[in-house]
Amino acid sequence: MTADVAFSHTTVLLQEAVDALAIRPDGVYVDGTFGRGGHSRAILEQLGPNGRLIAFDRDPQAIAAGAAIGDGRFSLVHRAFGELSAAADDAGLSAVDGVLFDVGVSSPQIDDAGRGFSFRYDAPLDMRMDTTEGETAAEWLARAELKEITEVIRNYGEERFAFQIAKKVVAARSEQPIVTTAQFAALVREAVRTREPGQDPATRSFQALRIHINQELRQLEVALPQALDLLKPGGRLVVISFHSLEDRMVKRAFRSLSRIEQTDPLARSNFLPGDFLEIHAGGIAPSEEEIAENPRARSARLRILERVR
């Protein structure tokens, strides 16, 4: 567990992710989502004196936390992982031995009420991972049209009451701006008629808004090919995702690259390896023990792709 000033973060699938990278002591690695540095610290423990680790994060608080790592083999860059190629060029990297993405929101971001990620606190409706730039969730809700709000909540939250929620938002903002998490959560709860037991009606809409504001799926979409282009033969891309939209994107990308179906889809001999090989094709899930210790790990899935040639 790594600690922030006021919030702690338990790194999910820590050992599994580091093992998946198959670290070479003198290798060069990228941690595309530093967070609070759990994976980075574990990677550094396995690197030799000539190894190198470059980490990225777009959250200024994560960058500040990374200042505590005083290691000459390590550098931390304030950039989104979707800018991996440009950042690698700036760092003088043409090829690396492994790339790790631990995508989605981090515990400190959720638990810091002021960030506006959670409906558990009444706070400004911000939701930006990079608080130095871009539009807040409140600003977007103030200008987006009914159709756009509906599509975002439906597509990114998989919310069947998306249209009803969007109508509530548009009607409410004509009377007063929607600027807090409590306001938005209340509107969603009014619009959602039924929900699974134990799940707050606002859960899906908050997820959708966060994904849209931070362009999380787009970041992942552009980052995957950039990471694969950087890999040396034998190098690995490891991705940890936390919801079905992310995992589906990773799974489809990996499958499309690692196997070519010829004639009979049931005959494994008809699948030929391409330039990449998927390791543990079904992905790796957290153990029951990890989920018991950290319930937020329950939806995580780790996938591995290795460059063969």
Side-chain angles (χ1 to χ4, degrees), residues 134-212:
E135 191 173 39
T136 68
E139 290 167 343
W140 182 77
L141 284 177
R143 67 160 184 84
E145 297 181 357
L146 174 68
K147 182 175 183 288
E148 187 178 8
I149 298 172
T150 301
E151 290 175 349
V152 164
I153 294 176
R154 179 186 295 132
N155 295 340
Y156 297 152
E158 300 177 295
E159 171 59 74
R160 62 184 183 275
F161 296 110
F163 177 67
Q164 292 87 338
I165 294 167
K167 282 181 63 178
K168 284 279 188 185
V169 167
V170 171
R173 75 185 184 190
S174 66
E175 299 180 5
Q176 63 175 333
I178 303 166
V179 295
T180 70
T181 55
Q183 284 177 287
F184 182 56
L187 291 170
V188 175
R189 291 170 186 140
E190 289 175 12
V192 175
R193 296 191 292 272
T194 62
R195 182 54 78 228
E196 297 86 346
Q199 184 181 87
D200 190 289
T203 299
R204 294 176 181 268
S205 295
F206 267 71
Q207 171 186 293
L209 202 51
R210 186 202 85 219
I211 289 173
H212 175 71

Side-chain angles (χ1 to χ4, degrees), residues 12 16 19 22 41 60 62 78 92 96 113 118 121 147 176 187 192 199 203 215 223 226 237 239 263 265 268 288 302:
V12 174
E16 291 88 344
D19 289 346
R41 288 181 173 87
H78 182 200
V96 301
S118 176
Y121 315 104
K147 182 175 183 288
Q176 63 175 333
L187 291 170
V192 175
Q199 184 181 87
T203 299
Q215 291 293 291
Q226 292 177 47
L237 170 60
V239 183
T263 54
R268 187 174 177 83
E288 292 182 3
L302 183 152

Side-chain angles (χ1 to χ4, degrees), residues 246-257 303:
E246 296 166 340
D247 184 55
R248 196 177 303 141
M249 181 182 294
V250 176
K251 179 171 67 174
R252 287 175 177 172
F254 282 16
R255 295 288 166 84
S256 69
L257 289 165
R303 296 186 183 275

Side-chain angles (χ1 to χ4, degrees), residues 74-90:
F74 174 77
S75 57
L76 179 58
V77 181
H78 182 200
R79 297 181 86 148
F81 66 87
E83 303 171 46
L84 178 59
S85 291
D89 287 343
D90 290 347

Side-chain angles (χ1 to χ4, degrees), residues 5-294:
V5 175
F7 310 100
S8 64
H9 174 64
T10 302
T11 305
V12 174
L13 290 165
L14 174 59
Q15 194 58 51
E16 291 88 344
V18 176
D19 289 346
L21 286 170
I23 292 173
R24 302 167 184 172
D26 60 348
V28 178
Y29 294 88
V30 171
D31 181 352
T33 45
F34 178 78
R36 291 304 181 268
H39 288 121
S40 282
R41 288 181 173 87
I43 292 169
L44 287 167
E45 288 177 359
Q46 295 197 23
L47 286 179
N50 296 320
R52 188 178 179 191
L53 173 63
I54 299 177
F56 306 94
D57 209 291
R58 54 174 157 171
D59 188 333
Q61 293 183 6
I63 298 299
I69 300 181
D71 192 314
R73 303 168 300 170
F74 174 77
S75 57
L76 179 58
V77 181
H78 182 200
R79 297 181 86 148
F81 66 87
E83 303 171 46
L84 178 59
S85 291
D89 287 343
D90 290 347
L93 294 179
S94 58
V96 301
D97 296 282
V99 178
L100 171 65
F101 296 143
D102 181 2
V103 299
V105 69
S106 69
S107 294
Q109 289 170 331
I110 295 173
D111 294 335
D112 183 349
R115 302 297 297 272
F117 285 103
S118 176
F119 49 77
R120 291 186 290 128
Y121 315 104
D122 187 11
L125 191 59
D126 192 317
M127 290 195 181
R128 291 172 300 164
M129 290 180 177
D130 187 345
T131 53
T132 67
E133 64 179 21
E135 191 173 39
T136 68
E139 290 167 343
W140 182 77
L141 284 177
R143 67 160 184 84
E145 297 181 357
L146 174 68
K147 182 175 183 288
E148 187 178 8
I149 298 172
T150 301
E151 290 175 349
V152 164
I153 294 176
R154 179 186 295 132
N155 295 340
Y156 297 152
E158 300 177 295
E159 171 59 74
R160 62 184 183 275
F161 296 110
F163 177 67
Q164 292 87 338
I165 294 167
K167 282 181 63 178
K168 284 279 188 185
V169 167
V170 171
R173 75 185 184 190
S174 66
E175 299 180 5
Q176 63 175 333
I178 303 166
V179 295
T180 70
T181 55
Q183 284 177 287
F184 182 56
L187 291 170
V188 175
R189 291 170 186 140
E190 289 175 12
V192 175
R193 296 191 292 272
T194 62
R195 182 54 78 228
E196 297 86 346
Q199 184 181 87
D200 190 289
T203 299
R204 294 176 181 268
S205 295
F206 267 71
Q207 171 186 293
L209 202 51
R210 186 202 85 219
I211 289 173
H212 175 71
I213 291 299
N214 296 289
Q215 291 293 291
E216 293 176 38
L217 294 179
R218 177 59 181 163
Q219 285 285 317
L220 182 58
E221 181 183 21
V222 301
L224 291 174
Q226 292 177 47
L228 295 174
D229 284 345
L230 274 176
L231 288 181
K232 299 176 182 177
R236 290 183 172 185
L237 170 60
V238 178
V239 183
I240 302 172
S241 58
F242 285 84
H243 60 71
S244 59
L245 295 174
E246 296 166 340
D247 184 55
R248 196 177 303 141
M249 181 182 294
V250 176
K251 179 171 67 174
R252 287 175 177 172
F254 282 16
R255 295 288 166 84
S256 69
L257 289 165
S258 61
R259 291 172 180 169
I260 303 172
E261 185 177 342
Q262 300 296 310
T263 54
D264 180 5
L266 300 178
R268 187 174 177 83
S269 61
N270 288 326
F271 288 93
L272 302 178
D275 289 341
F276 297 93
L277 174 66
E278 187 174 17
I279 311 295
H280 297 294
I284 298 173
S287 66
E288 292 182 3
E289 292 78 11
E290 180 171 5
I291 294 172
E293 293 177 3
N294 179 20

